[in-house]
Amino acid sequence: MIKINNILLSLAVMVLLMQNYGEALTYVNMVPYLNPTCSGESSGLGYSWVVGQCLGFKGNNFVVSLDSHNVSTIAIYQGKDEQCSGAQQGSRTFSNGGCYQVNYQNTEQWYYNGWVKIEVVEDPTNTIIYGYRETVYASTDDHCQDDYQMYFYYTNNSVFKYSNDNYYVFYCQPDTYTPFEIDCENGPTSCFTTPNNSPCGKNYNNWWRNYQVQSC
Ligand SMILES: *[C@@H]1O[C@H](CO)[C@@H](O)[C@H](O)[C@H]1NC(C)=O
Ligand SMILES: *[C@@H]1O[C@H](CO)[C@@H](O)[C@H](O)[C@H]1NC(C)=O
C-alpha cells in the first residue's frame, strides 16, 4: 500500500511539474525545395504545424499527430467540425527527414508544385524572415501572443505562375520588415505592388475562427 501511494504521489508530482514546466511544443515543419532531393537553397511555399491540436486554417480543420518514430500524420476535417471529432476528409503521412512531392492545386493555397523536407522541431524560435508569412493563432488568442498553431510562408522572391502572363512574386523589404506582393495578372506591364501585412485579427473570408498575422 505504501508503495502504491508513493507511486501515485510520484505521478501526481510529475503531472504538476509537467503542467508548470511542460510547455514544450513540438512542430512539424515542411521546408520547401525545387528538386526531388530537397537539396540546395530552400525555395517556395513552406509550413510549420503544431503537433496535437485541432486548428482552423482557411475554412478547414487540421490535426497533426506524431508517433513514437517521428512519423507525422496531417489529417483534415470539415470546417464545421471544430473539435476534429468527426470523419477525416483526408490525411497524409510523412517521416522525419523525408523529402516529399507536394501539389497544392485545388487547395486554397497558391498553385504550387514542389518538394518539402520534413523536420520535427521542439519549441522553434520564430525569428526566420521570409518573403511573406501568415501565422495562425488559437481562436481565443486575440493578441496573437501565445505559441502559434501554424504558419505558411513563401521564401523571399518566390514566383508563383498560373501561366507565363499571370504570376505573383513575394518579397520582404528588409528595412521595414514589410512583406510585398507583386501581382502580374496580364503580362509584365500589368504588374502592381502592394504591401501584404496585417496585425493580429480575424479574416472572416478566409480564416473565420482563428486569429492570424501577416508579416515577413
Ligand atoms: C524525433 O526528432 C527529433 C528532432 O529531430 C529528435 O530530437 C528525436 O530524437 C527524434 N525521436 C525519434 C524517436 O527518432
Ligand atoms: C528579399 O529580396 C529583395 C530583392 O528582391 C531584397 O531587396 C531584400 O533584401 C530581401 N529580403 C530579405 C529579408 O532578405
Side-chain angles (χ1 to χ4, degrees):
M1 198 56 185
I2 288 170
K3 251 190 182 157
I4 289 175
N5 278 342
N6 281 344
I7 290 169
L8 287 178
L9 190 63
S10 312
L11 283 177
V13 169
M14 268 170 62
V15 167
L16 281 177
L17 286 177
M18 278 161 64
Q19 277 171 353
N20 284 337
Y21 305 110
E23 292 289 324
L25 288 175
T26 304
Y27 289 81
V28 174
N29 290 348
M30 303 168 72
V31 182
Y33 289 89
L34 298 176
N35 60 70
T37 53
C38 291
S39 56
E41 199 180 339
S42 173
S43 179
L45 170 58
Y47 288 87
S48 180
W49 303 87
V50 72
V51 169
Q53 295 181 22
C54 174
L55 63 94
F57 172 56
K58 287 197 189 287
N60 282 303
N61 291 295
F62 293 84
V63 176
V64 174
S65 54
L66 198 61
D67 76 5
S68 58
H69 301 290
N70 273 344
V71 174
S72 55
T73 301
I74 298 186
I76 184 168
Y77 296 83
Q78 281 185 340
K80 58 178 192 253
D81 184 5
E82 295 185 12
Q83 309 300 322
C84 299
S85 56
Q88 286 180 12
Q89 304 301 298
S91 72
R92 191 165 173 194
T93 294
F94 302 94
S95 290
N96 191 20
C99 182
Y100 295 87
Q101 188 160 27
V102 288
N103 179 351
Y104 301 115
Q105 200 166 17
N106 302 323
T107 70
E108 294 185 52
Q109 299 296 346
W110 295 101
Y111 167 67
Y112 183 69
N113 273 313
W115 289 266
V116 292
K117 187 170 187 178
I118 305 302
E119 294 180 352
V120 176
V121 294
E122 300 285 337
D123 287 331
T125 52
N126 213 347
T127 52
I128 299 172
I129 303 295
Y130 297 110
Y132 175 60
R133 179 203 312 249
E134 283 189 28
T135 310
V136 174
Y137 295 86
S139 57
T140 50
D141 186 5
D142 58 353
H143 289 87
C144 300
Q145 63 187 10
D146 296 333
D147 294 300
Y148 69 91
Q149 293 190 308
M150 68 87 67
Y151 63 74
F152 73 90
Y153 63 92
Y154 302 106
T155 57
N156 206 27
N157 296 309
S158 293
V159 181
F160 292 88
K161 281 191 176 180
Y162 287 104
S163 69
N164 281 342
D165 276 345
N166 187 358
Y167 54 93
Y168 299 78
V169 184
F170 298 92
Y171 73 93
C172 176
Q173 200 178 69
D175 48 346
T176 58
Y177 289 113
T178 306
F180 283 87
E181 183 180 309
I182 306 172
D183 294 9
C184 308
E185 292 175 15
N186 200 6
T189 55
S190 70
C191 301
F192 59 96
T193 300
T194 47
N196 206 355
N197 59 332
S198 74
C200 188
K202 286 193 183 187
N203 175 342
Y204 287 96
N205 292 328
N206 269 338
W207 305 79
W208 60 278
R209 93 180 172 92
N210 285 63
Y211 283 93
Q212 56 125 339
V213 171
Q214 297 176 306
S215 63
C216 279

